[in-house]
Amino acid sequence: MKDYHSIKELFEEADLRHCSPGILACRKEAEEQNISYEEAWDRMKKLIPIFEHSIRRGLADKTRSLSGMIGGDANRLYRARMHFLSPVCRRACAYAIAAAEANAKMYRIVACPTAGSCGIVPAVIGVVGREIHASDDEYTRALFTAGAIGRVVAENASIAGAVGGCQAECGTAVGMAAAGVVDLLGGTTEQMGDALALGIKNLLGLVCDPVAGLVEVPCVKRNGMDAVIALTAAEMALAGIHSVIPPDEVIEAMGKIGRLLPASLRETSQAGLAVTPTGRRITEELNRKLRNS
Amino acid sequence: MGIFDIIGPVMIGPSSSHTAGAARIGRLALEILGEELASADITLYGSFAKTGRGHGTDKALAAGLLGCLPSSDKIRNAIELAGKQGVALHFSFSEEDMGHPNVASIRAVGRSGRSVTVTGRSLGGGRVLITDIDGYPVEISGEEYTLITHHHDVPGVIAQVCLVLAGHHLNISNMKVFRKGRGDDAVMIIHTDEKVPDHVTDELRACNRHVEQVMALDII
């Protein structure tokens, strides 16, 4: 099978073969890993229960993290009466926070594309999948489509906060989730491209400035917020809204913006939220606590 | 980067570099020690030293040293687990600049009394690189089957080791040799396409009197 190094290449090949980009991505993965197509497919399918388990963990464990900054918010949102968020949005948001809380509290998760952004893709694709009664195979196909997009971003920009800021982590996750949902709903590759471009564009420039260097603030709640952004991007694309800038150019722009970001805003906790008076106070308190333990 | 590097790895949170990577460094150090661990002195540098405890880097390193993988539930309570198993762990936090933000150095002592000092860095995404074993500059990622020999820098040792591997149809993909000085202690790092089985490592140990030690590392 032909290599793909851009969204355009991936989607053109998928259209040519009248299949989902996820199917192609699985075929390519099998080829590269020297395993059968079925093995590659099963490997992805087996991640679904791990995704679901991490979400359940996060919802069930209402304790605070070691730093005391996060914990219990997924459960809070899940049980609260919503004023205007739809049931699907509320669940996606709560589930994304749940997986991110599970991550912060040292439970098992699947990095997607990173640990800090691990809630967005499983929450969005999982909740929509459940809503439309998708099968595990359809869920798997959407995950392969999402993964293929992440792969292109990793190759042409970056998925690491230390390299490209949070846009590289949560931004990529939003693009992956939005396109995955469009695939799940049987949308066209053009719509998938629009969904991922719209999603990533909305997070361009997002910095990585975590308090005390931990994957907690703002990461955990941002996963929840970004799940809703991914759903919005998918709805826009399915409604026929186009991204003026094509997906590959958006990804390229993200990479360039990442290189322009100062190191202080790339996971070093030397600027932004990390050095606010409250951010500093929490950092000092945590350091004192750890020194005494 | 494959799809399962994007959707994956399956790991214990919160950080692929500070938790999953740390567990892999610990596990590789255990493999390099090649026996059950009795005690370890662990020094954390850079960002590992600064934010490591908040990320569970200490727990992950401990778990790796006890044989756990980055996806193991045991990471959460690894320090207690080490205590229960009678493994003495000592952590220090250094401000020294090691030329990379996420570095850990481990002096591991086995039940036999043998010790090894391993330094590794966490590269992000759970990937790691062991850069130093007992003062030898090495490059071991744990992503390939790796054979490590300790031997003396004498003509013919390398050829003989390769001959044994060839005799078992084990293909070498990459190989590096380091020595402290001419005729002095030396180390070979050999990557192979398949795992080198135990009976072959036994044979390698016996193939030349200048071969002191042979270890076969799994893919981790």
Side-chain angles (χ1 to χ4, degrees), chain A residues 117-139:
Chain A
S117 58
C118 72
I120 299 165
V121 170
V124 170
I125 299 183
V127 167
V128 174
R130 183 61 60 87
E131 190 68 13
I132 63 165
H133 306 290
S135 67
D136 272 6
D137 281 321
E138 288 167 308
Y139 190 163

Side-chain angles (χ1 to χ4, degrees), chain B residues 42-80:
Chain B
I42 301 156
T43 310
L44 303 180
Y45 300 90
S47 168
F48 263 14
K50 258 191 230 151
T51 66
R53 292 191 65 186
H55 280 120
T57 304
D58 48 350
K59 295 175 184 171
L61 280 163
L65 282 164
L66 296 176
C68 300
L69 290 171
S71 60
S72 169
D73 281 328
K74 290 179 184 161
I75 291 178
R76 294 168 64 81
N77 303 310
I79 305 284
E80 292 81 358

Side-chain angles (χ1 to χ4, degrees), chain B:
Chain B
M1 218 180 228
I3 293 262
F4 295 106
D5 297 312
I6 302 292
I7 303 190
V10 176
M11 54 169 274
I12 299 297
S15 160
S16 58
S17 56
H18 286 63
T19 322
R24 291 188 77 224
I25 291 174
R27 174 66 191 264
L28 278 168
L30 177 71
E31 294 268 328
I32 292 164
L33 177 67
E35 61 176 277
E36 214 180 311
L37 185 76
S39 68
D41 280 308
I42 301 156
T43 310
L44 303 180
Y45 300 90
S47 168
F48 263 14
K50 258 191 230 151
T51 66
R53 292 191 65 186
H55 280 120
T57 304
D58 48 350
K59 295 175 184 171
L61 280 163
L65 282 164
L66 296 176
C68 300
L69 290 171
S71 60
S72 169
D73 281 328
K74 290 179 184 161
I75 291 178
R76 294 168 64 81
N77 303 310
I79 305 284
E80 292 81 358
L81 188 67
K84 268 189 210 146
Q85 295 185 6
V87 173
L89 297 176
H90 180 258
F91 287 92
S92 16
F93 303 87
S94 168
E95 298 203 344
E96 192 184 333
D97 181 6
M98 296 291 274
H100 188 273
N102 297 324
V103 175
S105 189
I106 302 164
R107 183 174 177 274
V109 183
R111 297 277 180 202
S112 74
R114 196 179 94 75
S115 76
V116 65
T117 302
V118 174
T119 302
R121 40 177 81 163
S122 179
L123 305 175
R127 299 179 59 227
V128 303
L129 193 69
I130 300 297
T131 55
D132 192 293
I133 300 175
D134 286 335
Y136 293 101
V138 298
E139 282 178 13
I140 297 171
S141 68
E143 290 166 30
E144 295 169 279
Y145 293 110
T146 307
L147 192 77
I148 306 174
T149 70
H150 282 262
H151 60 277
H152 298 131
D153 178 42
V154 173
V157 176
I158 297 170
Q160 220 156 358
V161 166
C162 292
L163 206 61
V164 171
L165 292 175
H168 292 277
H169 299 284
L170 291 161
N171 191 43
I172 295 173
S173 61
N174 178 303
M175 169 169 180
K176 274 186 181 159
V177 185
F178 308 89
R179 63 179 186 186
K180 287 209 166 136
R182 197 169 166 173
D184 204 340
D185 290 338
V187 158
M188 249 186 289
I189 310 288
I190 301 172
H191 294 303
T192 52
D193 288 337
E194 301 88 30
K195 183 173 163 65
V196 177
D198 287 348
H199 69 272
V200 178
T201 52
D202 288 343
E203 194 179 329
L204 286 167
R205 272 181 213 110
C207 77
N208 186 306
R209 67 188 171 87
H210 293 289
V211 175
E212 285 197 331
Q213 215 176 70
V214 180
M215 273 158 307
L217 272 51
D218 235 320
I219 292 179
I220 289 168

Side-chain angles (χ1 to χ4, degrees), chain A:
Chain A
M1 204 199 113
K2 242 172 66 183
D3 283 351
Y4 60 91
H5 301 283
S6 66
I7 301 296
K8 188 166 178 279
E9 277 176 350
L10 174 70
F11 285 2
E12 274 178 4
E13 184 79 4
D15 287 345
L16 198 71
R17 293 171 186 254
H18 304 288
C19 67
S20 154
I23 304 287
L24 289 185
C26 180
R27 207 173 289 163
K28 187 79 209 149
E29 185 66 22
E31 207 178 284
E32 284 176 3
Q33 301 291 327
N34 210 8
I35 53 177
S36 71
Y37 179 85
E38 288 72 25
E39 269 178 275
W41 189 266
D42 271 0
R43 207 172 144 190
M44 187 67 89
K45 204 170 169 177
K46 282 194 181 129
L47 296 177
I48 297 172
I50 308 177
F51 277 132
E52 289 174 343
H53 193 250
S54 65
I55 289 170
R56 278 200 301 275
R57 272 286 196 197
L59 282 173
D61 182 345
K62 291 181 274 180
T63 61
R64 305 297 283 180
S65 64
L66 184 66
S67 74
M69 285 193 286
I70 61 103
D73 289 332
N75 186 282
R76 195 163 288 125
L77 188 68
Y78 190 71
R79 292 174 0 151
R81 189 179 71 82
M82 291 294 107
H83 299 88
F84 38 78
L85 221 50
S86 79
V88 165
C89 279
R90 183 259 298 268
R91 273 206 304 280
C93 186
Y95 285 9
I97 294 175
E101 283 183 344
N103 178 60
K105 289 193 275 185
M106 296 193 82
Y107 290 114
R108 181 180 295 130
I109 56 100
V110 185
C112 194
T114 60
S117 58
C118 72
I120 299 165
V121 170
V124 170
I125 299 183
V127 167
V128 174
R130 183 61 60 87
E131 190 68 13
I132 63 165
H133 306 290
S135 67
D136 272 6
D137 281 321
E138 288 167 308
Y139 190 163
T140 303
R141 187 191 71 215
L143 284 175
F144 267 112
T145 294
I149 285 156
R151 212 180 124 142
V152 171
V153 178
E155 185 176 330
N156 299 334
S158 171
I159 58 163
V163 178
C166 191
Q167 56 163 7
E169 300 203 15
C170 284
T172 304
V174 164
M176 290 165 66
V181 163
V182 172
D183 189 357
L184 206 54
L185 291 167
T188 63
T189 53
E190 191 187 8
Q191 288 168 329
M192 291 178 214
D194 285 327
L196 88 91
L198 291 166
I200 294 179
K201 276 196 302 187
N202 190 56
L203 276 82
L204 284 181
L206 197 65
V207 301
C208 179
D209 53 354
V211 172
L214 300 178
V215 195
E216 299 191 2
V217 174
C219 327
V220 169
K221 295 181 195 86
R222 181 172 289 166
N223 269 263
M225 299 275 196
D226 287 353
V228 181
I229 290 176
L231 287 170
T232 310
E235 283 283 28
M236 281 186 173
L238 288 165
I241 297 178
H242 295 296
S243 170
V244 172
I245 311 295
D248 284 309
E249 291 181 37
V250 172
I251 292 167
E252 196 190 332
M254 186 227 266
K256 286 185 175 159
I257 292 168
R259 287 192 285 279
L260 289 169
L261 284 179
S264 58
L265 292 169
R266 284 185 277 117
E267 214 182 311
T268 54
S269 298
Q270 287 166 352
L273 294 173
V275 300
T276 54
T278 304
R280 282 184 200 275
R281 178 177 55 75
I282 291 171
T283 307
E284 280 162 24
E285 280 171 9
L286 179 69
N287 285 341
R288 213 172 306 133
K289 191 167 142 189
L290 288 174
R291 258 198 308 275
N292 296 333
S293 70

